[in-house]
Amino acid sequence: MSDLKKLFIKTYGCQMNVYDSERMAEAMAPEGYVTTEDAGEADLVLLNTCHIREKAGDKLYSDLGRLRALKDAKPDMKIGVAGCIAQAEGAEIIRRVPMVDLVVGPQAYHRLPALVRGTDSPVDTDFPVESKFDLLPARKGLRGPTAFLTVQEGCDKFCAFCVVPYTRGAEVSRPVERVLSEARGLVERGVKDLTLLGQNVNAYHGTQNGADVGLAQLIDALAKIDGLERLRYTTSHPNDMADDLIEAHGTQPKLMPYLHLPVQSGSDRILKAMNRKHTAESYLRLIERFRAARPDILLTSDFIVGFPGETDADFEATLALIRQVGFGMAYSFKYSARPGTPAAEKPELPADVADARLQILQALVTQQQRAAQDAMVGQVCHVLYEKVGRMPGQMVGKSDHLMAVHVTDATGKVGDLVRVLITGASTNSLAAVPVV
Ligand code: 5AD
Ligand code: SF4
């Protein structure tokens, strides 16, 4: 009988959680755990949770309900809750669902092996002084051509609706050398396309030989790694955009023409109530500067509709901003009150008003997304193949603008970065053929 134990991780929420889940799997590997896609055969189930919106929280408890049958059939199975709900609710989760064996917050993943062995108390939601990253094992094993790399964590912005400053803590940046060595390791294992992650990634302030290094300088240092072809970063706040980062979009060829820049609302009154500390006008000016540096940059954003006090006129201002910018894609959400945040004290709008606004906004954004996709037809760009397509002789990957592309290429291999001509478009994907 093998000593190997099986680990099943379910990841909810953002790309930071995807990255953290990968690191948790790596932390458990020396303990003899290999990952499985089947929760039923797992010895350890980890739910890496998201707290940002109401539905994310409801999902955790319904998933725990479903896991009960698996645990009844396999009483040795351990169940752990990680991520932002773990951080926010701590021991409350075990009180509510006693079959949960351990609760571990995002800053304590390096202590996961001890929690699973049962040598530490079952709840760890500390914010340790030492960085968890330095205490986690190096990243090993073969992987695909794209990867995330966390360079910054936490947020000091305290937008009135958001739990992140409470669950992820204050802004912390990883030192430049640590980021570079993790990136080199990933490139050695075949990664060509790296997305730098941070809740406030453009507030990155690392150090190198005692000097302060901002995100643009970090990107330049990473771009020197041979074999690393593409860089992106997410998520940014409009108020932390440094001049050299905007410039880098025009001068650093490995920095892709893509920017995710959440605006949340187009109404200055609502932006103020949200404590965003920028205006619609300052956002539009910023966008103009990015477009001056890199005319073909594709912009994406996040929107919240139905924030407390949002009037029809406020919502119209949001639609006007969207029409003015022209987004390639956007995530839009109906406001949901998060306990402990300032906005949660305010009276909510009727659900049907928020629902109707969300539909209108999403229809407008979908129309813009379709226009951005259509505009690619006839253009030549690069696609990094991530997998084999469903059709024979087809490869699937992402373009420079992060659009999904299906390429007819019978000799293509995963990891190839290929020049293609875009021949067709739908709302969610493009069709292409290789060109020399
Ligand atoms: N309600 C709805 N959406 C929210 N977001 C963050 N907090 C809330 C909330 N309480 C959205 C924001 C943010 C994205 C990650 O989630 O748009 O940019
Ligand atoms: Fe939340 Fe605002 Fe920080 Fe983004 S900038 S993580 S929305 S508090």
Side-chain angles (χ1 to χ4, degrees):
M1 205 183 103
S2 129
D3 284 346
L4 283 182
K5 286 172 277 187
K6 299 272 172 69
L7 165 62
F8 174 84
I9 306 185
K10 175 161 179 179
T11 307
Y12 310 72
C14 66
Q15 290 152 333
M16 181 84 67
N17 268 9
V18 174
Y19 175 87
D20 282 344
S21 290
E22 214 177 281
R23 301 302 306 262
M24 282 193 272
E26 286 157 4
M28 293 311 294
E31 304 283 312
Y33 282 88
V34 293
T35 53
T36 170
E37 303 286 308
D38 175 8
E41 65 164 19
D43 300 285
L44 171 62
V45 172
L46 289 175
L47 302 177
N48 189 8
T49 61
C50 171
H51 198 41
I52 205 148
R53 285 174 294 277
E54 215 159 31
K55 287 208 176 97
D58 295 346
K59 259 193 235 151
L60 166 69
Y61 287 105
S62 67
D63 283 350
L64 281 172
R66 271 197 291 275
L67 280 174
R68 184 175 305 278
L70 296 184
K71 178 129 174 166
D72 285 347
K74 196 173 174 187
D76 287 347
M77 173 190 277
K78 284 193 173 173
I79 296 178
V81 178
C84 291
I85 300 183
Q87 187 62 43
E89 295 187 7
E92 181 57 31
I93 297 173
I94 297 185
R95 266 193 292 276
R96 194 164 153 185
V97 188
M99 71 166 185
V100 170
D101 297 284
L102 57 111
V103 174
V104 58
Q107 304 307 321
Y109 292 155
H110 53 287
R111 296 218 278 267
L112 189 61
L115 290 172
V116 172
R117 271 185 244 122
T119 50
D120 268 4
S121 90
V123 178
D124 195 339
T125 50
D126 276 359
F127 281 101
V129 186
E130 71 290 32
S131 166
K132 67 174 180 190
F133 301 110
D134 306 334
L135 300 165
L136 285 168
R139 303 173 72 178
K140 297 189 208 79
L142 284 177
R143 48 170 315 123
T146 65
F148 295 126
L149 199 172
T150 295
V151 302
Q152 181 277 338
E153 239 189 303
C155 180
D156 298 340
K157 299 291 181 292
F158 291 93
C159 297
F161 50 80
C162 185
V163 287
V164 167
Y166 311 96
T167 57
R168 292 278 172 164
E171 289 174 9
V172 179
S173 295
R174 296 178 70 191
V176 177
E177 276 313 323
R178 298 265 159 70
V179 173
L180 289 176
S181 72
E182 190 169 324
R184 281 188 211 105
L186 289 167
V187 172
E188 273 163 26
R189 287 157 44 222
V191 170
K192 292 183 177 173
D193 177 317
L194 203 53
T195 300
L196 309 180
L197 294 182
Q199 267 91 28
N200 238 303
V201 72
N202 60 335
Y204 177 85
H205 269 288
T207 47
Q208 190 173 34
N209 308 322
D212 206 32
V213 171
L215 187 61
Q217 290 163 284
L218 180 71
I219 286 170
D220 279 339
L222 286 162
K224 295 200 175 86
I225 300 176
D226 272 347
L228 182 56
E229 307 294 348
R230 292 172 145 188
L231 286 158
R232 295 188 178 82
Y233 56 93
T234 196
T235 296
S236 299
H237 189 286
N239 288 5
D240 286 320
M241 275 304 174
D243 295 345
D244 60 353
L245 185 58
I246 301 175
E247 254 168 55
H249 280 272
T251 54
Q252 175 49 258
K254 291 189 179 179
L255 187 56
M256 291 294 103
Y258 174 90
L259 177 69
H260 182 60
L261 191 60
V263 62
Q264 315 296 358
S265 167
S267 153
D268 288 345
R269 215 175 60 80
I270 294 297
L271 287 169
K272 192 156 196 289
M274 286 177 165
N275 193 32
R276 289 287 294 177
K277 300 199 176 87
H278 62 79
T279 61
E281 186 56 35
S282 67
Y283 183 87
L284 292 170
R285 277 203 308 271
L286 197 55
I287 297 296
E288 271 170 26
R289 294 182 60 204
F290 273 99
R291 286 192 165 142
R294 181 77 203 230
D296 70 334
I297 195 163
L298 188 95
L299 296 158
T300 68
S301 199
D302 291 348
F303 295 92
I304 295 178
V305 302
F307 187 79
E310 185 186 71
T311 62
D312 282 337
D314 293 319
F315 178 61
E316 281 302 325
T318 301
L319 296 178
L321 179 137
I322 296 174
R323 284 191 201 100
Q324 215 167 329
V325 174
F327 290 100
M329 204 268 304
Y331 299 101
S332 47
F333 311 102
K334 192 165 81 162
Y335 169 75
S336 72
R338 307 315 291 139
T341 60
E345 311 291 313
K346 300 194 187 167
E348 285 182 47
L349 294 194
D352 56 337
V353 172
D355 284 333
R357 289 181 186 166
L358 187 63
Q359 267 193 22
I360 295 169
L361 189 151
Q362 285 180 340
L364 175 59
V365 165
T366 306
Q367 212 181 313
Q368 295 194 338
Q369 178 172 335
R370 180 66 204 245
Q373 298 268 127
D374 285 345
M376 294 293 166
V377 176
Q379 292 199 31
V380 170
C381 65
H382 291 90
V383 175
L384 177 61
Y385 293 162
E386 291 175 23
K387 56 183 186 199
V388 174
R390 252 181 280 153
M391 303 296 196
Q394 186 189 57
M395 299 301 295
V396 185
K398 298 277 164 45
S399 71
D400 305 326
H401 292 96
L402 204 59
M403 292 172 173
V405 190
H406 293 80
V407 186
T408 307
D409 184 351
T411 56
K413 295 187 302 301
V414 170
D416 289 351
L417 185 60
V418 178
R419 233 167 90 88
V420 304
L421 171 70
I422 305 295
T423 54
S426 68
T427 307
N428 295 310
S429 77
L430 300 171
V433 290
V435 286
V436 233

